[in-house]
Amino acid sequence: MDNASPEPKSPHDPAPVIQQRGLYVDELVVGARYRHRPGRTATEADNTLFSSLTMNTQALHLDAAFSATQPFGERLMNSMWTLATMVGSSVSQITQGTLVAQLGLTDIAFPAPLHHGDTLYTETEILDARPSASRPGQGVVTMRHTGRDQHGTVVATATRTALMWYAPDEEGPR
């Protein structure tokens, strides 16, 4: 999990090898906000594939003629795609290689729809980070994900709790 290679440097390659990873519990700052980029433009193919793979046959996602008669006048992106993409966009910056387990998602809301062609931009705020009472070397992190479309409209929010590693000590990686 260490981000610098422990291998000796050769005279021909003096630069360290850097491995991308998320942040350890002790590197997180409560109140910090992480803007995850690039955004992800939602496509019709994303919506159809995700809805089909998850056996969600909701006509609002799959049936253009039906959706045209509904209040939004067009198909909507599957909200579970929006949630999964919002959480997924945070991985490389926050939890890649530092997550032990996802513990839960709460306070999930979709205050506005996401449509085909909209771009989802996600931000994560660290709400709390504390040592685990039962798992040495690990901590419980609570974060709030907020997804906005390209106009800045909030389309999704979720509070996520995760079990994460503290940075390894001198004894080496866990």
Side-chain angles (χ1 to χ4, degrees):
M1 296 223 175
D2 194 5
N3 66 337
S5 173
E7 300 168 14
K9 297 176 188 148
S10 86
H12 304 289
D13 185 17
V17 175
I18 307 297
Q19 179 174 322
Q20 182 176 340
R21 66 163 170 83
L23 300 171
Y24 293 108
V25 176
D26 38 334
E27 294 175 318
L28 294 168
V29 176
V30 173
R33 294 183 314 166
Y34 297 87
R35 291 188 176 143
H36 311 299
R37 298 297 184 267
R40 176 65 160 79
T41 300
T43 69
E44 180 178 4
D46 293 330
N47 203 23
T48 301
L49 181 60
F50 187 90
S51 295
S52 298
L53 286 173
T54 58
M55 299 179 65
N56 182 338
T57 60
Q58 176 53 252
L60 287 171
H61 306 314
L62 300 173
D63 186 332
F66 170 78
S67 297
T69 69
Q70 298 305 299
F72 292 105
E74 63 182 316
R75 285 172 289 165
L76 305 177
M77 284 301 294
N78 186 317
S79 58
M80 294 297 101
W81 180 91
T82 303
L83 176 64
T85 303
M86 184 172 65
V87 171
S89 70
S90 71
V91 170
S92 64
Q93 235 177 336
I94 298 177
T95 62
Q96 181 65 49
T98 58
L99 178 80
V100 177
Q102 179 161 286
L103 301 177
L105 289 162
T106 61
D107 305 317
I108 299 167
F110 304 98
L114 193 67
H115 302 275
H116 301 157
D118 284 345
T119 300
L120 178 65
Y121 292 99
T122 303
E123 176 177 288
T124 301
E125 179 182 1
I126 305 303
L127 301 178
D128 188 45
R130 64 171 177 79
S132 169
S134 60
R135 300 183 65 106
Q138 298 173 8
V140 177
V141 177
T142 304
M143 55 194 104
R144 180 184 305 118
H145 300 295
T146 301
R148 292 180 173 81
D149 67 13
Q150 68 276 12
H151 307 294
T153 303
V154 174
V155 297
T157 58
T159 300
R160 178 177 174 213
T161 305
L163 186 63
M164 296 178 64
W165 289 109
Y166 273 88
D169 55 24
E170 294 96 36
E171 295 174 15
R174 300 175 203 292

Coordinates of all heavy atoms in Angstrom, one line a residue, residues 62-108:
L62 N -36.5 3.2 -19.8 CA -36.4 2.4 -21.0 C -37.3 2.7 -22.1 O -37.0 2.4 -23.3 CB -36.5 0.9 -20.6 CG -35.5 0.4 -19.6 CD1 -35.9 -1.0 -19.2 CD2 -34.1 0.4 -20.2
D63 N -38.4 3.4 -21.8 CA -39.5 3.5 -22.8 C -39.7 5.0 -23.2 O -40.3 5.8 -22.4 CB -40.8 2.9 -22.3 CG -42.0 2.9 -23.2 OD1 -42.0 3.8 -24.1 OD2 -42.8 2.1 -23.1
A64 N -39.1 5.4 -24.3 CA -39.1 6.8 -24.7 C -40.5 7.3 -24.9 O -40.9 8.5 -24.6 CB -38.2 7.1 -25.9
A65 N -41.4 6.5 -25.6 CA -42.7 6.9 -25.9 C -43.5 7.2 -24.6 O -44.2 8.2 -24.4 CB -43.4 5.9 -26.8
F66 N -43.4 6.2 -23.7 CA -44.1 6.4 -22.4 C -43.6 7.6 -21.6 O -44.3 8.4 -21.1 CB -43.9 5.1 -21.5 CG -44.4 5.3 -20.1 CD1 -45.8 5.2 -19.8 CD2 -43.5 5.5 -19.1 CE1 -46.2 5.4 -18.5 CE2 -43.9 5.7 -17.8 CZ -45.3 5.7 -17.5
S67 N -42.3 7.7 -21.6 CA -41.6 8.8 -20.8 C -42.0 10.2 -21.3 O -42.1 11.2 -20.6 CB -40.1 8.7 -20.8 OG -39.8 7.5 -20.1
A68 N -42.3 10.3 -22.6 CA -42.7 11.5 -23.3 C -44.0 12.0 -22.7 O -44.3 13.2 -22.8 CB -42.7 11.4 -24.8
T69 N -44.8 11.1 -22.2 CA -46.2 11.5 -21.6 C -46.1 11.8 -20.2 O -47.1 12.1 -19.6 CB -47.2 10.3 -21.9 OG1 -46.8 9.2 -21.0 CG2 -47.2 9.9 -23.3
Q70 N -44.9 11.7 -19.6 CA -44.8 11.9 -18.1 C -44.3 13.3 -17.8 O -43.9 14.0 -18.7 CB -43.8 10.8 -17.5 CG -44.4 9.4 -17.7 CD -45.7 9.2 -17.1 OE1 -45.9 9.4 -15.9 NE2 -46.7 8.9 -18.0
P71 N -44.3 13.7 -16.5 CA -44.0 15.1 -16.2 C -42.7 15.6 -16.7 O -42.6 16.8 -17.1 CB -44.0 15.1 -14.7 CG -45.0 14.0 -14.3 CD -44.8 12.9 -15.4
F72 N -41.6 14.8 -16.8 CA -40.3 15.3 -17.3 C -40.2 15.3 -18.8 O -39.3 15.8 -19.4 CB -39.2 14.6 -16.6 CG -39.1 14.9 -15.2 CD1 -39.5 14.0 -14.2 CD2 -38.6 16.1 -14.7 CE1 -39.4 14.3 -12.9 CE2 -38.5 16.4 -13.4 CZ -38.9 15.5 -12.4
G73 N -41.1 14.6 -19.5 CA -41.2 14.6 -20.9 C -40.2 13.8 -21.6 O -40.1 13.8 -22.9
E74 N -39.3 13.1 -20.9 CA -38.2 12.3 -21.5 C -37.8 11.2 -20.5 O -38.1 11.3 -19.3 CB -37.1 13.1 -22.0 CG -36.4 13.9 -20.9 CD -35.2 14.7 -21.4 OE1 -34.5 14.3 -22.2 OE2 -35.1 15.9 -20.9
R75 N -37.0 10.3 -21.0 CA -36.5 9.3 -20.1 C -35.5 9.9 -19.1 O -34.8 10.9 -19.4 CB -35.7 8.2 -20.8 CG -36.7 7.2 -21.5 CD -35.9 6.3 -22.4 NE -35.4 7.0 -23.6 CZ -34.5 6.6 -24.4 NH1 -34.0 5.4 -24.3 NH2 -34.2 7.4 -25.4
L76 N -35.5 9.4 -17.9 CA -34.6 9.8 -16.8 C -33.5 8.8 -16.6 O -33.7 7.6 -16.8 CB -35.4 10.0 -15.5 CG -36.6 10.9 -15.6 CD1 -37.3 10.9 -14.2 CD2 -36.2 12.3 -16.0
M77 N -32.3 9.3 -16.2 CA -31.2 8.3 -15.9 C -31.7 7.6 -14.6 O -32.3 8.1 -13.7 CB -29.9 9.1 -15.5 CG -29.2 9.6 -16.8 SD -28.7 8.3 -18.0 CE -27.5 7.4 -17.0
N78 N -31.4 6.3 -14.6 CA -31.6 5.5 -13.5 C -30.9 6.1 -12.2 O -29.7 6.3 -12.3 CB -31.1 4.0 -13.8 CG -31.5 3.0 -12.7 OD1 -31.4 3.3 -11.5 ND2 -31.9 1.8 -13.2
S79 N -31.7 6.3 -11.2 CA -31.1 7.0 -10.0 C -30.0 6.1 -9.4 O -29.0 6.6 -8.8 CB -32.1 7.4 -9.0 OG -32.9 6.2 -8.6
M80 N -30.1 4.8 -9.5 CA -29.0 3.9 -8.9 C -27.7 4.0 -9.7 O -26.6 3.9 -9.2 CB -29.5 2.5 -8.9 CG -30.7 2.2 -7.9 SD -30.2 2.6 -6.2 CE -30.9 4.2 -6.0
W81 N -27.8 4.3 -11.0 CA -26.6 4.6 -11.8 C -26.0 5.9 -11.3 O -24.8 6.0 -11.2 CB -27.0 4.8 -13.3 CG -25.8 5.1 -14.2 CD1 -25.0 4.2 -14.8 CD2 -25.2 6.4 -14.5 NE1 -24.0 4.8 -15.5 CE2 -24.1 6.2 -15.3 CE3 -25.6 7.7 -14.2 CZ2 -23.3 7.2 -15.8 CZ3 -24.8 8.7 -14.6 CH2 -23.7 8.5 -15.5
T82 N -26.8 6.9 -11.1 CA -26.3 8.2 -10.6 C -25.6 8.0 -9.2 O -24.5 8.5 -9.0 CB -27.5 9.2 -10.4 OG1 -28.1 9.3 -11.7 CG2 -27.0 10.5 -9.9
L83 N -26.2 7.2 -8.3 CA -25.6 6.9 -7.0 C -24.3 6.2 -7.2 O -23.3 6.6 -6.6 CB -26.6 6.2 -6.1 CG -26.1 5.7 -4.8 CD1 -25.7 6.9 -3.9 CD2 -27.1 4.8 -4.1
A84 N -24.3 5.1 -8.0 CA -23.1 4.3 -8.1 C -22.0 5.1 -8.8 O -20.8 5.0 -8.4 CB -23.4 3.1 -9.0
T85 N -22.3 5.9 -9.7 CA -21.3 6.7 -10.4 C -20.8 7.8 -9.5 O -19.6 8.1 -9.5 CB -21.9 7.3 -11.7 OG1 -22.4 6.2 -12.5 CG2 -20.8 8.1 -12.5
M86 N -21.6 8.4 -8.7 CA -21.2 9.4 -7.8 C -20.2 8.8 -6.7 O -19.2 9.4 -6.5 CB -22.5 10.0 -7.1 CG -22.2 11.1 -6.1 SD -23.7 11.9 -5.5 CE -24.4 10.5 -4.5
V87 N -20.6 7.7 -6.2 CA -19.7 7.0 -5.2 C -18.4 6.6 -5.9 O -17.3 6.8 -5.4 CB -20.3 5.9 -4.5 CG1 -19.3 5.1 -3.7 CG2 -21.5 6.4 -3.6
G88 N -18.5 6.0 -7.1 CA -17.4 5.5 -7.8 C -16.4 6.6 -8.2 O -15.2 6.4 -8.2
S89 N -16.9 7.8 -8.4 CA -16.0 8.9 -8.8 C -15.0 9.3 -7.7 O -14.0 9.9 -7.9 CB -16.7 10.1 -9.3 OG -17.4 10.7 -8.3
S90 N -15.4 8.9 -6.5 CA -14.6 9.3 -5.3 C -13.4 8.3 -5.0 O -12.5 8.6 -4.3 CB -15.4 9.4 -4.1 OG -15.9 8.2 -3.6
V91 N -13.5 7.2 -5.6 CA -12.6 6.1 -5.3 C -11.1 6.5 -5.4 O -10.3 6.3 -4.5 CB -12.9 4.8 -6.0 CG1 -11.8 3.7 -5.9 CG2 -14.2 4.2 -5.5
S92 N -10.7 6.9 -6.6 CA -9.3 7.2 -6.9 C -8.7 8.2 -5.9 O -7.5 8.1 -5.6 CB -9.0 7.6 -8.3 OG -9.7 8.8 -8.6
Q93 N -9.5 9.2 -5.5 CA -9.0 10.3 -4.6 C -9.0 9.9 -3.1 O -8.2 10.4 -2.4 CB -9.8 11.5 -4.9 CG -9.0 12.7 -5.2 CD -9.9 13.9 -5.5 OE1 -11.0 13.9 -5.9 NE2 -9.3 15.1 -5.4
I94 N -10.0 9.1 -2.8 CA -10.2 8.9 -1.3 C -10.0 7.4 -0.9 O -9.3 7.2 0.2 CB -11.6 9.4 -0.9 CG1 -11.7 10.9 -1.2 CG2 -11.9 9.1 0.6 CD1 -13.1 11.5 -0.9
T95 N -10.5 6.4 -1.5 CA -10.5 5.1 -1.0 C -9.7 4.0 -1.7 O -9.7 2.9 -1.3 CB -12.0 4.6 -0.8 OG1 -12.6 4.5 -2.1 CG2 -12.8 5.5 0.1
Q96 N -9.1 4.4 -2.8 CA -8.4 3.4 -3.6 C -7.2 2.8 -2.8 O -6.3 3.5 -2.4 CB -7.8 4.0 -4.9 CG -7.0 3.0 -5.8 CD -7.9 1.9 -6.3 OE1 -9.0 2.2 -6.9 NE2 -7.5 0.7 -6.2
G97 N -7.3 1.5 -2.4 CA -6.3 0.8 -1.7 C -6.3 1.1 -0.2 O -5.5 0.5 0.5
T98 N -7.2 2.0 0.3 CA -7.2 2.3 1.7 C -8.5 2.0 2.3 O -8.7 2.1 3.5 CB -7.0 3.9 1.9 OG1 -7.9 4.6 1.2 CG2 -5.6 4.3 1.4
L99 N -9.4 1.4 1.5 CA -10.7 1.0 2.0 C -10.6 -0.4 2.5 O -10.1 -1.3 1.8 CB -11.8 1.1 0.9 CG -13.2 0.6 1.3 CD1 -13.9 1.7 2.0 CD2 -14.0 0.2 0.0
V100 N -11.2 -0.7 3.7 CA -11.3 -2.1 4.2 C -12.7 -2.6 3.8 O -12.8 -3.7 3.2 CB -11.2 -2.2 5.7 CG1 -11.4 -3.6 6.2 CG2 -9.8 -1.6 6.1
A101 N -13.8 -1.8 4.0 CA -15.1 -2.2 3.7 C -16.0 -1.0 3.7 O -15.9 -0.1 4.5 CB -15.6 -3.3 4.7
Q102 N -17.0 -1.1 2.9 CA -18.1 0.0 2.9 C -19.1 -0.5 4.0 O -19.5 -1.7 4.0 CB -18.8 0.1 1.6 CG -19.9 1.1 1.6 CD -20.3 1.6 0.2 OE1 -19.6 2.4 -0.4 NE2 -21.4 1.2 -0.2
L103 N -19.4 0.4 4.9 CA -20.3 0.0 6.0 C -21.8 0.4 5.8 O -22.7 -0.3 6.3 CB -19.8 0.6 7.3 CG -18.4 0.2 7.7 CD1 -18.0 1.0 9.0 CD2 -18.3 -1.3 7.9
G104 N -22.0 1.5 5.0 CA -23.4 1.8 4.8 C -23.5 3.1 4.0 O -22.6 3.9 4.0
L105 N -24.7 3.3 3.5 CA -25.2 4.5 2.8 C -26.5 4.9 3.4 O -27.4 4.1 3.6 CB -25.4 4.2 1.3 CG -24.1 4.0 0.5 CD1 -24.5 3.3 -0.8 CD2 -23.4 5.3 0.2
T106 N -26.6 6.2 3.8 CA -27.8 6.7 4.4 C -28.1 8.1 3.7 O -27.3 8.6 3.0 CB -27.7 6.9 5.9 OG1 -26.6 7.9 6.2 CG2 -27.4 5.6 6.6
D107 N -29.2 8.6 4.1 CA -29.6 10.0 3.7 C -29.5 10.1 2.2 O -29.0 11.2 1.7 CB -28.8 11.0 4.4 CG -28.9 10.9 5.9 OD1 -30.0 10.6 6.4 OD2 -27.9 11.0 6.6
I108 N -29.9 9.1 1.4 CA -29.8 9.2 -0.1 C -31.0 10.0 -0.6 O -32.1 9.7 -0.2 CB -29.7 7.8 -0.7 CG1 -28.5 7.0 -0.1 CG2 -29.7 7.8 -2.2 CD1 -28.6 5.5 -0.4

